Amino acid sequence: MGLSGWRAVDRQTPATPAPRDRINAARLRALLAWIAFAGGLALARGLTPEAGGVGSGVLFGAAVVFGAIALVVPRVFCRVCVLGAIALLGAGWWTMRFHEMPTHHIARLASDGLVTVEGTLLDSPRAIVRPRDGIDTFRRASPAYRFNIEVDTLVHDAGRDAATGQLWVVCANQPPDVGAGRRVRITGILRAPEAPLNPGEQDLRLFARQQGFGGLLTLSGPPLVIPLDDQPTGLMGRTRAAIDALRQRARSVVLRGVGDDASPQARSLLLGLVLGEVDEGTRGVRDAFARTGLAHVLSISGFHLAVMALVALTVVRLGGDHGRLEPLVVGVLVLLYALIVPPASPIVRSAAMVLAILAGEAFGRRHDRLTLLLWIALALLVWKPLDLWAIGYQLSVGLTALLFWAGRDFHHRLFTPPIRTGLDVPLSPWHGLLSGVRSLFAASVLCSLVSAPIVMGHVGLLSPGGVLATLLVTPVIVLVLWVAYIALIAGMVIPGVADASAWLLGLLADLAAILVRWIDTLPFSSLRVPPMPVAWVVCATACGLWWVRRGTRKDPVAWSLTLVTLGWFMLGVLYAQRLPPGVAARLDMLSVGDGTCHILRAGDEALLWDCAPSPPGGVLPPIVQNARALGVWRTPTVVITHPDFDHFGGLPEVLEPLGVRRVIVPQRFIDQARDEPRQAAAWLLGFLESRGVEVRAIARGETISLGRTTLEVLSPPDEAAWPLDNDHSIMARLATPAGDLLLTGDVQEHAIDEMARAHPGLAPRVLELPHHGSTLPRSIEFGVASRPRVVLQSTGPSRLDDSRWSPLHALGPAWYTSARHGWSWVEFHRDGRLRHGSMHP
């Protein structure tokens, strides 16, 4: 008997069906085990050793004790003890992975600074792709190449020490002439992963621990990489070299399939679809896919592997029906595909899920797919515990489980199933197409209803156009994948096949991108929503699950859950970023390197004061992610103090997510854009005009409204003709019951002298150091004369601890430097109190 029913998503057992009660009991056991293990991970993450956590040995020992007790107690207590043991195993596993470090790990042996290590390259050097569209064309960046090394020796003056762990390596200018599997000696500057500097940022220390990395090694050039052998040695070295060669071969085939004449968006789309490569050079396409609910299409996931499996199965069946051999062959092809794409979490996670299900099918054992999926989900958490908090894991596992659990029933609730007559009547092509469209529509609505709260909680995005995008774009994407996978399989043997498919792949990829961009322009295709708490996400998800499983038009429970969810959401819209009643104003200084970005709030309004460029992020730009973590989701007004790139380079990517409608600049900004039409300032003004954003020039004597308060502009005057752009920075004072806040931009001698003349006796209680704390004599004099209670310095490490600021330090103000303290904040209370703090002491 063949596997003709193998592809049916809603089939639960490939062999004889198990009794329903046994299936439900198996599902419950797997679900409770997953909940217990996940709960143990979450508990251990909160209880660090500094917060009173215990060692992994104690936790594992306690798990053994609970397991032993479970063997001798009654059945009810046995289950409780087993779940307790699983939770303790999860806590112990987290503690061992993240709170405890092996003795010989490179992160423990080496400190930040110049180091020399020896080890085996895990991959070949690859160019770091810089963003190259829009305003990013004005960024200055030297060529750089990245690769990873498995360290086995730390070399130092006193000798050599055995070491373990891995390092990220970045080499400037040119790639070293080495490949995967080669042993090398590398000398460079080591920097350990740092704690997050802003709210909402990923903790790179945890990510590095999970991946086994000890830090980043930066090199000035290839001569610092010295090969220790002529070719890969040892089984692991030769295996890594073979896999890397396979990846390079596959990438070459795909690039040939893309063709030289393909548009940048087609090239970006195809590299993401087939190889899982994120092309930062064309972020516009990726952002459009994200807004329309199709972000998963651009990172290899279960959807891609399902299409890959179907292509492989079709190729296998060209030679006839091979029974249980089919899933084995398909599994091998899927495994090979997983090896040739970059080893990222979504790829490996999806491959593990597909391979486990294929293995169950191949062995012919009776099993329930949902139960198997839950055990796979638990195993994935053992492999990468941080995925518990990742939207990719939550959606890929959750939605796959949802389709197994409720897919068929929900489809039948939307479309009445046909009456079975017992006659084997083949469907016409029209009925087959209609059935496929109905299935796709039902699955899209089902997944959209349940996933919407999770997506809203993570990225603040609601995509009403997601169902339409899925219906229109998915068939095109499937065609792209079919052509690409066939070209990839055949092109690995006959390279000319890839060349022949170039025109078709480019056409289909452009069509998919055009459709997504069109849907993205439709009214209400995507909506930004305020940051919502986890409790609301759980409530809204439960509401969605109730509707898809049991809800009816007359169901009081469904409508009650809906009213609670919507009411709670509306409260979030109204009060998400509103300050407490006793706070007149608040300033949040983000850590953005040598640039500036402040969030200023009063009442329920917020504005952005400068917007420094930031490195490429995920679905949300880093500044937007930081703002949402602070409860800010709308900043209709942005003030750009002057035409320096480090003060406005990040503005284009935050316009839409933060709802920017007005940008305030000094007249110097507009004049420079007119005089230098090919520079960044001119590009920005043109971009703002194309987006319908108002641009307003402002000068001394004017005000900026913010809630019930106003910012008084102190500089520059209308008649200013100073030669330096910095002196034309907007300086503004915010008067509050707790004292004045003075924001200074990058002002220098001329602007400071003029401001002091026009406003003698100015004594702000909170002062932003001019020009990031540059030690110009006039700036130091001004800072000392102001005698502030709080000093804010937005700068990178280069301006830390400059002794020339000692006269101001001697006055004893609270001094917050973004490079050391990270995000810092000041609250101005209505009763005259001034509260302030930072992310790091």
Side-chain angles (χ1 to χ4, degrees):
M1 178 178 177
L3 294 179
S4 58
W6 173 62
R7 289 171 292 172
V9 172
D10 60 347
R11 201 179 98 185
Q12 299 298 324
T13 54
T16 305
R20 179 54 54 182
D21 56 345
R22 292 182 60 187
I23 291 177
N24 290 335
R27 290 177 175 179
L28 182 61
R29 285 194 298 270
L31 178 61
L32 291 177
W34 182 91
I35 292 173
F37 190 82
L41 295 177
L43 180 64
R45 182 174 186 175
L47 292 177
T48 61
E50 296 79 10
V54 297
S56 61
V58 175
L59 293 168
F60 288 142
V64 173
V65 171
F66 269 72
I69 294 175
L71 297 175
V72 297
V73 296
R75 184 173 183 179
V76 175
F77 296 105
C78 172
R79 293 174 177 174
V80 174
C81 289
V82 169
L83 292 177
I86 294 174
L88 288 168
L89 286 174
W93 183 245
W94 177 278
T95 302
M96 186 179 72
R97 291 280 301 270
F98 297 98
H99 297 162
E100 299 170 355
M101 186 179 295
T103 305
H104 296 288
H105 198 280
I106 185 64
R108 180 187 290 271
L109 296 178
S111 56
D112 286 7
L114 185 66
V115 300
T116 299
V117 298
E118 295 178 0
T120 304
L121 295 190
L122 299 176
D123 49 14
S124 297
R126 294 277 303 278
I128 297 177
V129 180
R130 313 285 188 184
R132 57 178 183 271
D133 58 346
I135 200 168
D136 292 316
T137 58
F138 300 98
R139 292 197 191 201
R140 298 176 182 175
S142 301
Y145 299 82
R146 57 180 174 84
F147 54 96
N148 303 323
I149 181 173
E150 178 82 37
V151 177
D152 56 46
T153 305
L154 173 65
V155 182
H156 49 81
D157 294 338
R160 301 159 60 89
D161 290 329
T164 60
Q166 302 173 11
L167 292 174
W168 296 295
V169 185
V170 172
C171 182
N173 301 319
Q174 293 180 343
D177 188 19
V178 289
R182 297 280 300 277
R183 286 202 78 247
V184 297
R185 178 184 295 122
I186 303 179
T187 300
I189 302 298
L190 177 65
R191 188 177 66 200
E194 297 178 346
L197 292 176
N198 290 305
E201 283 185 357
Q202 181 185 21
D203 192 337
L204 290 180
R205 298 170 301 176
L206 295 180
F207 178 75
R209 290 284 184 88
Q210 177 174 269
Q211 303 297 110
F213 283 84
L216 172 67
L217 196 63
T218 57
L219 320 177
S220 58
L224 295 174
V225 180
I226 302 175
L228 299 179
D229 53 23
D230 295 331
Q231 59 184 0
T233 58
L235 178 61
M236 289 302 299
R238 288 193 292 270
T239 301
R240 286 169 178 154
I243 292 175
D244 187 74
L246 188 63
R247 288 176 180 165
Q248 297 300 329
R249 172 69 172 167
R251 191 172 192 274
S252 174
V253 170
V254 172
L255 288 176
R256 294 187 67 171
V258 172
D260 296 331
D261 298 330
S263 65
Q265 67 179 10
R267 178 180 295 269
S268 173
L269 185 59
L270 287 169
L271 287 175
L273 283 172
V274 184
L275 294 180
E277 294 187 7
V278 178
D279 184 2
E280 295 294 349
T282 52
R283 285 191 291 181
V285 176
R286 183 160 50 93
D287 292 343
F289 271 80
R291 286 191 295 269
T292 52
L294 295 175
H296 62 282
V297 169
L298 298 184
S299 62
I300 295 178
S301 60
F303 167 74
H304 300 72
L305 291 181
V307 176
M308 174 66 183
L310 186 57
V311 172
L313 182 65
T314 302
V315 173
V316 170
R317 285 185 173 173
L318 292 176
D321 192 344
H322 301 285
R324 292 181 181 177
L325 183 62
E326 290 180 357
L328 290 176
V329 174
V330 172
V332 170
L333 292 175
V334 170
L335 181 60
L336 287 174
Y337 179 61
L339 288 175
I340 66 174
V341 296
S345 291
I347 300 167
V348 181
R349 180 170 57 238
S350 302
M353 293 168 60
V354 170
L355 291 174
I357 292 175
L358 285 172
E361 302 285 354
F363 289 116
R365 297 292 301 273
R366 183 167 58 187
H367 69 277
D368 171 58
R369 285 188 171 180
L370 180 55
T371 304
L372 179 60
L373 177 66
L374 290 170
W375 289 116
I376 295 171
L378 193 151
L380 291 172
L381 287 185
V382 174
W383 175 52
K384 289 194 173 181
L386 280 177
D387 278 3
L388 179 61
W389 291 269
I391 185 174
Y393 174 85
Q394 294 170 8
L395 291 181
S396 62
V397 172
L399 294 184
T400 304
L402 178 67
L403 290 171
F404 285 163
W405 177 59
R408 180 174 57 184
D409 292 342
F410 185 76
H411 182 276
H412 290 167
R413 292 184 65 184
L414 291 182
F415 305 105
T416 304
I419 299 176
R420 298 184 179 274
T421 63
L423 300 176
D424 188 14
V425 180
L427 294 177
S428 66
W430 166 251
H431 284 90
L433 176 62
L434 181 60
S435 176
V437 172
R438 286 177 173 177
S439 297
L440 180 60
F441 177 79
S444 300
V445 173
L446 174 62
C447 292
S448 297
L449 283 175
V450 178
S451 66
I454 300 173
V455 177
M456 291 165 68
H458 277 279
V459 300
L461 188 63
L462 177 64
S463 303
V467 174
L468 176 62
T470 301
L471 290 175
L472 294 181
V473 179
T474 299
V476 180
I477 295 296
V478 170
L479 285 175
V480 171
L481 291 175
W482 266 83
V483 175
Y485 289 148
I486 291 173
L488 177 61
I489 294 172
M492 296 291 284
V493 180
I494 308 174
V497 175
D499 296 331
S501 65
W503 69 272
L504 182 57
L505 281 173
L507 178 65
L508 292 173
D510 278 326
L511 176 60
I514 290 171
L515 285 173
V516 169
R517 289 183 181 275
W518 172 72
I519 295 170
D520 190 39
T521 62
L522 297 178
F524 307 110
S525 62
S526 62
L527 302 171
R528 298 289 176 176
V529 298
M532 301 300 295
V534 175
W536 180 87
V537 174
V538 173
C539 177
T541 304
C543 178
L545 288 172
W546 187 276
W547 272 108
V548 301
R549 191 67 176 180
R550 295 187 176 183
T552 63
R553 288 178 296 176
K554 298 182 179 181
D555 185 350
V557 176
W559 285 110
S560 298
L561 284 172
T562 302
L563 291 175
V564 170
T565 301
L566 291 178
W568 196 345
F569 175 75
M570 292 307 301
L571 288 175
V573 172
L574 295 174
Y575 297 102
Q577 65 185 33
R578 178 171 295 184
L579 293 175
V583 180
R586 175 181 171 114
L587 176 74
D588 292 280
M589 177 178 71
L590 300 180
S591 180
V592 288
D594 286 316
T596 301
C597 186
H598 305 324
I599 300 173
L600 188 58
R601 281 182 280 176
D604 59 356
E605 294 185 11
L607 66 77
L608 213 58
W609 185 273
D610 280 330
C611 191
S614 55
V619 177
L620 288 178
I623 288 177
V624 177
Q625 186 174 333
N626 304 151
R628 291 184 61 83
L630 293 169
V632 176
W633 67 292
R634 307 294 284 177
T635 59
T637 299
V638 176
V639 178
I640 301 299
T641 55
H642 63 294
D644 276 5
F645 193 81
D646 62 324
H647 289 253
F648 68 83
L651 182 57
E653 65 180 1
V654 308
L655 281 185
E656 186 272 330
L658 291 180
V660 176
R661 293 290 175 265
R662 180 176 64 159
V663 174
I664 296 174
V665 298
Q667 183 61 40
R668 181 60 167 255
F669 198 108
I670 296 176
D671 293 343
Q672 187 182 101
R674 181 193 62 234
D675 297 338
E676 302 175 4
R678 295 188 178 182
Q679 297 303 312
W683 183 94
L684 179 66
L685 292 186
F687 178 80
L688 295 176
E689 181 181 3
S690 69
R691 295 297 187 273
V693 177
E694 173 194 357
V695 177
R696 171 191 168 194
I698 202 167
R700 184 172 66 189
E702 299 184 67
T703 61
I704 303 171
S705 298
L706 181 66
R708 296 182 180 180
T709 65
T710 56
L711 279 161
E712 178 189 1
V713 178
L714 307 183
S715 185
D718 273 330
E719 67 278 6
W722 302 316
L724 298 178
D725 288 342
N726 286 348
D727 276 320
H728 289 263
S729 295
I730 296 175
M731 294 181 67
R733 173 176 59 186
L734 179 69
T736 76
D740 291 354
L741 162 69
L742 183 62
L743 298 171
T744 59
D746 281 2
V747 293
Q748 295 184 193
E749 182 177 357
H750 293 98
I752 292 175
D753 287 342
E754 175 62 22
M755 189 271 301
R757 184 196 63 78
H759 300 276
L762 183 67
R765 204 171 181 192
V766 179
L767 172 67
E768 177 196 25
L769 281 190
H771 198 188
H772 314 284
S774 293
T775 53
L776 300 175
R778 188 65 182 95
S779 298
I780 297 174
E781 293 174 8
F782 171 69
V784 173
S786 300
R787 305 184 69 85
R789 285 276 305 277
V790 177
V791 172
L792 301 174
Q793 182 183 9
S794 179
T795 184
S798 61
R799 295 190 179 97
L800 277 175
D801 302 324
D802 196 311
S803 60
R804 285 170 288 185
W805 280 105
S806 57
L808 181 54
H809 276 288
L811 299 178
W815 196 300
Y816 297 105
T817 305
S818 59
R820 171 177 291 120
H821 302 98
W823 155 69
S824 305
W825 55 272
V826 182
E827 282 186 348
F828 302 83
H829 286 250
R830 300 188 188 279
D831 60 5
R833 291 184 298 121
L834 192 68
R835 294 182 65 245
H836 45 84
S838 62
M839 193 161 191
H840 302 294

